[in-house]
Amino acid sequence: MQYKLTDQWQSTLIISVAFIAALTGVFFFMEQAAGVAFPAFDVMDFLIRVLPGGIITFGIDMMVDFLLLFTDGDDLDSTAKTAESLMAVFQFIGIGTVLGLGYGAIANVLRNRGTFLSSEWSTGLIIGAALGIPVAVISAQYNTSASASPLISTFWILVASLIWGLFHNYAQRRLTPPTPAAETPQNDSGVSDAAFKQTENNAYILDRRQFLIQVGAASAAVTVSGASLGALFGDSETVQGANVIDEAILNTGLEPAPGTRPEYTPLQDHYRIDINSGRFPNVDELEYRLPIDGLVDNPLSLSLANIREDYDVISENITMSCISNRIAGGLISTTQWTGAPLRDILADANLQEDGKFLLIESFDGFDEVVEIEMIMNDERILLAYEWDGVPLPGKHGFPLRVHIPDRYGMKQPKWIEKMTVIDEWQEGYWVRRGWDKDAIVKMTSVIDTVAVDNVYTDDEGVQRVPIGGIAYSGAKEISAVEVRINDGEWQPAQLRTPLSDRTWVIWRFDWPFEAGEHTFTVRAFDGEGVEQIAEVADRRPSGATGYHSETEDI
Ligand SMILES: Nc1nc2c(c(=O)[nH]1)N[C@H]1C(S)=C(S)[C@@H](COP(=O)(O)O)O[C@H]1N2
Ligand SMILES: [Mo]
């Protein structure tokens, strides 16, 4: 057995992956437990900015498609989030692995020169700095979700990276083959010199194998416990709504086809999209004040009680959709929003002439800019403090969030920290990342169910299969839904009276059953009779368009 260069590379690869995975696990744990930055996400944010447009999004989309092979498509919201997180983590592990391999190469050169063992500590710190410094700088610039101060995050990332570098150094030292120069033991074993060397080398190779297994196991343990403990810390909130929707309303009118989604989403099932990785700002209800200043004559600082008690209380059933919802995706839900008309609150601040825009900033680093004129002209724009009859859940924006009718979720800031009246428009968080600045909802219609198990015979003796789903057009209402079977004519579906003019509409079409394979397609028309866009467009930048189809072999 002779020690080969390829073994060296294999060992270095194993160590590099193991160590960066462990570091990532520790970073994640500390983010969840201590609120410091998780740099994998910040690096991804950074790469999204510097790489040619779409590369990362493309990667995320591929990852979503891959993950969807293992889940049923219903889970798309969590799938998309998982995909994004996985992308970020893989990327980070990739970067760390490349650095580790580079370090292995340097160690090799130094070894051949016989200088590695004498410069060990410093080379370990150098690779630590090579990872830590750029990552800390990127994180300081891009992280908005950490609750710890940026200084603490920077310090933590640097220290952790240096320790990671020292681990690399330690491992490389263990992997350094015994060189004749470094060998001191006397060959007094009675065997020939060559045989003695061979035994030494074998012992080394066995030891190396053992060592790699230990490193692999220890790193896997750190990675897994970091990830799972972190997850435990992160998402402990249970959401329980009051289910304020009137049962009588849900039980009258057109009966949805069996298998249609609930018209009123149970609060715990409402989709969720955050810019950070699952922690949400923790706001003290009694200490909280909403400052409204900037170009106003009467700056305000409102408590939650002020907002609840001093203004009209408006409750409205509202469907919200994320702009990154796919056709028939899960990032869309309906619940009841309660709050005060935002224009009444702004009016109390006495806006100045040149106050044209409202900058809304959130505790998690999110921000959005809304035209004042639009707010003043639309009493429906809410500063909401309740969902489904209970204070906004932590995940969904406690203590306050805004709702603007007919816009995608990216225009509905959660966890509002302050509002500033400004004179010039500026880009909000998602707009800076390439999404539509207006984000007006694109009409969509979805087949939830082709209820082949619920075939029934109607009065005329025709066997029918109930087909049904939703149609949604922001605040533009739905006037008609049509279904097409294969290449046939579009046929009108029945519509349920919606929960409001801002919710989705449940539709139903009772199809005269015919055996065989069929493709069902759905389209909708809004309140003005405008037809749903047939042309297929991706979600980015302005929201997905195109028809939804289901093919069934019946
Ligand atoms: N402060 C803040 N507001 C936010 C976001 C966020 O990450 N932070 N995400 C936005 C996006 S993209 C969507 S789709 C909705 C989702 O709201 P939900 O998670 O309560 O369903 O919130 C919006 N408001
Ligand atoms: Mo969104």
Side-chain angles (χ1 to χ4, degrees), residues 270-276 320-324 331 362-367 387 395-397 401 408-416 429-430:
H270 198 290
Y271 88 88
R272 173 190 183 193
I273 290 285
D274 300 343
I275 57 172
N276 65 27
M320 179 169 65
S321 167
C322 182
I323 195 165
S324 61
L331 300 180
S362 301
F363 286 108
D364 63 338
F366 187 86
D367 59 282
W387 260 23
K395 295 174 185 185
H396 293 295
R401 74 182 299 173
Y408 281 117
M410 62 176 266
K411 290 280 165 185
Q412 327 292 1
K414 309 190 258 190
W415 305 299
I416 295 172
Y429 183 91
W430 286 118

Side-chain angles (χ1 to χ4, degrees), residues 312-333:
D312 289 351
V313 178
I314 308 224
S315 288
E316 193 61 86
N317 292 316
I318 288 172
T319 297
M320 179 169 65
S321 167
C322 182
I323 195 165
S324 61
N325 193 30
R326 292 165 182 250
I327 299 295
L331 300 180
I332 181 169
S333 308

Side-chain angles (χ1 to χ4, degrees), residues 72-84:
D72 55 10
D74 298 348
D75 245 6
L76 195 78
D77 47 346
S78 49
T79 308
K81 213 162 154 42
T82 314
E84 227 168 274

Side-chain angles (χ1 to χ4, degrees), residues 373-447:
E373 197 186 329
M374 175 166 86
I375 300 173
M376 299 321 269
N377 287 333
D378 191 344
E379 79 228 335
R380 301 172 304 169
I381 297 179
L382 288 185
L383 183 59
Y385 41 77
E386 272 179 23
W387 260 23
D388 192 28
V390 297
L392 280 173
K395 295 174 185 185
H396 293 295
F398 183 84
L400 290 171
R401 74 182 299 173
V402 161
H403 185 263
I404 305 174
D406 212 27
R407 310 286 162 140
Y408 281 117
M410 62 176 266
K411 290 280 165 185
Q412 327 292 1
K414 309 190 258 190
W415 305 299
I416 295 172
E417 183 179 10
K418 59 178 174 187
M419 296 185 173
T420 315
V421 177
I422 55 179
D423 55 356
E424 260 181 61
W425 185 77
Q426 62 187 59
E427 298 183 327
Y429 183 91
W430 286 118
V431 179
R432 293 196 294 278
R433 285 157 181 79
W435 294 85
D436 194 299
K437 74 177 181 40
D438 297 317
I440 293 174
V441 172
K442 296 273 198 307
M443 192 174 358
T444 192
S445 53
V446 179
I447 301 170

